[in-house]
Amino acid sequence: MPSVSDIPNHAVDWRLFLPARKTERILLLERGDSDFGRSFRELKIPFETASSLTDLPAQRDFDLVAAPLGLDASASLPTLRDLLRPGGTLLFGFARRDASLAAMTRSLRGLGFRSVQFFAAIPDLISPEYILPLGAQELSFMLAHRYEHKLPRLALRAIASGALFPFMGLARHLLPNYFAVASDGGETFSDALTRITASQLPHASRLRWTLHSNGGADLNDNVIFLGFEHGKRNPSLVAKAPRLPSNNWVVQTESSHLSEIWTLLGKDAPRRLPEPIALAEVDGQAALVISYVDGQGLIHSSRNGLWNDPARLLKLASDAARSLREVHERAAKPLAAGERVPSDLPRKIEAFRKLFSPSEAESRLLAELEQAASAQASTHKTLIQGDFWHGNIIRGAKHGDLMLIDWQYARWDSDVSLDVYLFLLAGALANTHTHDAQSKARGAAELLAQWRAEIVSAYLAAYGAADKFSLLPARLGMLQCCIEKATRAALDFGSNQSDAEAWRWLFYELSQNGLQSL
């Protein structure tokens, strides 16, 4: 387990498995130099804290007592129970070496809790990537996806087929870490998802939800719930919930755009998109529920040497470009006489200037880009995806088509440059294996230069002539992508994400190396 000092800034996603009511008083028991309280402060959730059983507040009657890293169970559980008001909830983290599931169940039931639920915390209690019920399909799915690069192919096939389901009853007792949630009942966030989706889909009334917490992700990212039907090896539904409730607008925006593009694509929508099912809100926490896309993500392909295999890369790039063009064409709407789609490129260029203090040469390029973008002429607008890179593309298992997920940055535009060029830039950055932003950008620019003659040319040819929409020349279009990605989080959330520096330096490298011939 990582040290408690490694706790990320937002490692309290387990709160979404607690009864979803307006909690008035929370007691958080820290351990050592852990700082789960920082996450509650970031989430703007009021709480009180204690460092040990000898440091407890004098006033009791808490709605929630949380000890995510646990304490000595036999000594602490009765004391923690006494801190709760009637109807309160206890969250307790523990390791298998310290207590068995059976022993923990007896202890909590003996203290009068009517409801006791257990969730596996994978890989650890500090920053779990998965928080999941102990069912066979949830455990099998987690094993197949988390360890797909470590398990033998035969084992992966056995997991995918459901052949190991009978053994998962034993496996649930062998996991290293668990969260126990003990209460007197009450609807949790995942219970509410089941109730809300049951009115949309008959089978949803039997769903069990796994939380893909991804504790290393940004505080402004979403957490992902996967809804499993009994006995099914894959989820049926996915629910995306902002880690910060103040970011509910993110999934509300995505819901609107995904519903819009689903309608525009008509009968072809299931080949290209997840289906929007519901936009739910539970106790101020929004969630977008969509269908699960069964298939292989291109992130997986990229880890298997895709970018170093010219033949595979050429085929994928051409397929991606044709798929993108199909979506753009199906969503296209003629511009009315005199209509111009408002552009926020000037605002992003100004943000880029303030955030990164570009050089004089870079400033001239910014002015050139702004002028070129404003001078473009189009006859149609389309709903661009806004974040078209391999991490948001899945090759569907049913039809073999490329499917586009994550529509939160979609928008109507007559300029398709962002969608077209981002795929190439993101692929180049992904194939540059260093954490230093400047070195990463330099490596990506060198790779793009290597791709110029064959990969980039074939990709743009597969997309086709921009006869309806505006498409900037490659050099300017790539610079536009760098500005978009470098400033997006700062403009949307008020703080940069970790990859903003890489995009800023890629702008610099592209401005130095030219790429005028593209």
Side-chain angles (χ1 to χ4, degrees):
M1 180 186 294
S3 70
V4 289
S5 61
D6 294 330
I7 292 176
N9 198 29
H10 40 266
V12 295
D13 291 335
W14 39 257
R15 67 189 175 84
L16 295 170
F17 278 112
L18 306 178
R21 55 172 171 258
K22 295 289 185 182
T23 303
E24 296 177 354
R25 294 192 69 214
I26 295 174
L27 177 63
L28 181 61
L29 281 101
E30 301 278 19
R31 194 190 75 184
D33 58 349
S34 68
D35 192 6
F36 287 98
R38 179 175 56 181
S39 298
F40 277 100
R41 287 190 292 272
E42 295 270 358
L43 290 163
K44 296 181 172 57
I45 299 175
F47 70 99
E48 299 172 51
T49 187
S51 57
S52 69
L53 294 180
T54 60
D55 184 33
L56 298 174
Q59 186 179 356
R60 307 300 173 96
D61 293 328
F62 285 95
D63 298 277
L64 166 66
V65 173
L69 298 184
L71 298 163
D72 178 63
S74 59
S76 63
L77 287 178
T79 302
L80 299 181
R81 174 56 158 152
D82 289 341
L83 293 171
L84 289 169
R85 64 162 180 78
T89 299
L90 171 66
L91 178 129
F92 192 86
F94 66 100
R96 175 170 53 87
R97 66 175 181 269
D98 297 326
S100 67
L101 294 176
M104 185 62 71
T105 301
R106 287 194 299 270
S107 296
L108 293 170
R109 293 284 189 189
L111 292 171
F113 289 108
R114 294 201 304 269
S115 171
V116 177
Q117 295 178 287
F118 294 104
F119 300 90
I122 308 293
D124 52 63
L125 296 169
I126 291 176
S127 56
E129 180 181 348
Y130 287 93
I131 302 175
L132 60 155
L134 304 182
Q137 61 266 47
E138 294 96 330
L139 291 172
S140 294
F141 183 87
M142 180 275 298
L143 285 172
H145 283 257
R146 178 170 170 77
Y147 300 106
E148 61 183 346
H149 306 298
K150 299 178 181 179
L151 293 174
R153 189 169 299 177
L154 184 62
L156 288 173
R157 282 202 295 266
I159 292 171
S161 68
L164 298 184
F165 276 14
F167 302 98
M168 289 299 145
L170 173 64
R172 66 190 296 232
H173 295 280
L174 302 178
L175 298 169
N177 301 291
Y178 305 91
F179 289 123
V181 177
S183 69
D184 292 328
E187 186 180 62
T188 66
F189 186 75
S190 56
D191 292 336
L193 289 177
T194 298
R195 170 177 54 78
I196 291 165
T197 53
S199 64
Q200 307 283 333
L201 299 171
H203 60 75
S205 61
R206 302 187 300 275
L207 291 182
R208 288 157 54 98
W209 295 88
T210 287
L211 189 150
H212 187 185
S213 178
N214 194 14
D218 190 82
L219 186 66
N220 290 302
D221 283 345
N222 298 320
V223 294
I224 306 298
F225 283 87
L226 305 169
F228 289 84
E229 292 181 70
H230 179 70
K232 297 288 184 69
R233 65 181 180 88
N234 282 328
S236 297
L237 298 178
V238 175
K240 303 171 68 172
R243 185 168 274 117
L244 283 171
S246 59
N247 290 338
N248 282 348
W249 64 270
V250 173
V251 294
Q252 291 164 352
T253 300
E254 181 172 3
S255 174
S256 174
H257 291 316
L258 182 57
S259 298
E260 196 169 18
I261 192 69
W262 180 271
T263 300
L264 289 167
L265 265 59
K267 63 181 179 58
D268 291 324
R271 292 176 41 246
R272 294 299 183 195
L273 308 168
E275 181 180 3
I277 303 298
L279 180 63
E281 185 168 321
V282 182
D283 196 28
Q285 177 78 58
L288 170 61
V289 184
I290 59 177
S291 61
Y292 173 74
V293 175
D294 185 16
Q296 186 179 68
L298 297 194
I299 283 284
H300 172 83
S301 300
S302 70
R303 291 169 180 161
N304 288 335
L306 168 68
W307 307 109
N308 295 317
D309 186 332
R312 288 174 62 202
L313 179 56
L314 183 63
K315 183 178 184 303
L316 172 63
S318 299
D319 195 1
R322 284 190 292 267
S323 301
L324 180 64
R325 184 57 180 260
E326 178 188 327
V327 173
H328 284 170
E329 290 287 343
R330 294 297 302 272
K333 292 183 178 181
L335 291 169
E339 179 184 0
R340 289 187 65 87
V341 180
S343 172
D344 62 354
L345 180 59
R347 181 174 72 103
K348 290 172 181 173
I349 289 176
E350 183 59 28
F352 189 88
R353 289 192 177 104
K354 290 180 178 178
L355 288 168
F356 302 113
S357 302
S359 66
E360 288 187 14
E362 289 175 315
S363 295
R364 286 193 296 270
L365 268 177
L366 290 171
E368 180 185 346
L369 170 60
E370 187 169 1
Q371 182 178 6
S374 65
Q376 291 190 106
S378 308
T379 61
H380 289 69
K381 62 183 177 181
T382 190
L383 191 60
I384 65 171
Q385 198 267 354
D387 205 17
F388 186 71
W389 69 292
H390 58 280
N392 286 337
I393 304 175
I394 295 174
R395 188 172 293 282
K398 186 174 182 179
H399 304 103
D401 294 315
L402 296 184
M403 304 184 71
L404 282 59
I405 62 173
D406 287 351
W407 285 77
Q408 69 190 58
Y409 293 110
R411 62 176 183 260
W412 284 99
D413 208 327
S414 57
D415 180 2
V416 295
S417 302
L418 176 62
D419 270 4
V420 171
Y421 295 117
L422 183 58
F423 179 84
L424 297 168
L425 298 185
L429 282 171
N431 196 49
T432 308
H433 306 293
T434 176
H435 294 293
D436 177 70
Q438 198 165 356
S439 299
K440 192 175 190 69
R442 186 180 305 115
E446 292 169 356
L447 189 57
L448 286 166
Q450 296 173 25
W451 288 352
R452 177 186 301 168
E454 188 173 12
I455 303 299
V456 175
S457 297
Y459 174 80
L460 294 177
Y463 182 83
D467 50 352
K468 294 180 179 178
F469 317 113
S470 300
L471 180 63
L472 288 165
R475 178 177 67 102
L476 293 178
M478 290 182 179
L479 294 175
Q480 180 191 8
C481 291
C482 293
I483 293 167
E484 173 87 21
K485 294 292 285 185
T487 63
R488 177 174 282 173
L491 289 172
D492 285 350
F493 306 115
S495 60
N496 266 338
Q497 289 186 327
S498 57
D499 64 347
E501 283 292 320
W503 287 102
R504 184 270 173 272
W505 285 111
L506 185 54
F507 181 96
Y508 168 80
E509 293 292 338
L510 295 179
S511 69
Q512 293 293 302
N513 295 331
L515 299 178
Q516 287 91 339
S517 62
L518 286 174

